[in-house]
Amino acid sequence: MAKVRGRVPSAVVAASGLVGGYGVARWTKKRQLGGVVLAVAGAAAATQWRQQAGGKAAGALTAAYVAAFAGSHPLAKKVGSWPAVFGVAGAVALASWAVADRQG
């Protein structure tokens, strides 16, 4: 039987920040509000990454999170907005799980 932990895995927090940030910005038409969602989730994920995998790993995963956000924009021109956001969110979630979550 799997052990149930009290916190949401950092992979879910990070992916939710990317998807949720875009969704909030799109649906409210307020990019700044989407940015707040993105930043809050990113900070929460970074805190978990630091606790679970250390400072270097947290730095690398935070850089991946920011790069995913930035990279989703040009990718959206090729594949569409939602596929780009889901793609980069999945990539960040996978990296987060591999580096931090699977150890716990």
Side-chain angles (χ1 to χ4, degrees), residues 18-43:
L18 290 161
V19 174
Y22 175 70
V24 166
R26 181 174 177 141
W27 290 317
T28 65
K29 302 196 184 319
K30 296 183 193 273
R31 292 174 61 137
Q32 299 88 347
L33 192 54
V36 169
V37 172
L38 180 78
V40 169

Side-chain angles (χ1 to χ4, degrees), residues 66-100:
V66 172
F69 167 70
S72 68
H73 292 82
L75 182 60
K77 293 179 192 231
K78 297 179 188 258
V79 301
S81 298
W82 281 112
V85 170
F86 285 128
V88 300
V92 169
L94 181 61
S96 180
W97 175 82
V99 173

Side-chain angles (χ1 to χ4, degrees), residues 15 28-29 41 47 49 57 62 64 84 103:
T28 65
K29 302 196 184 319
T47 298
W49 293 329
T62 300
Q103 296 174 4

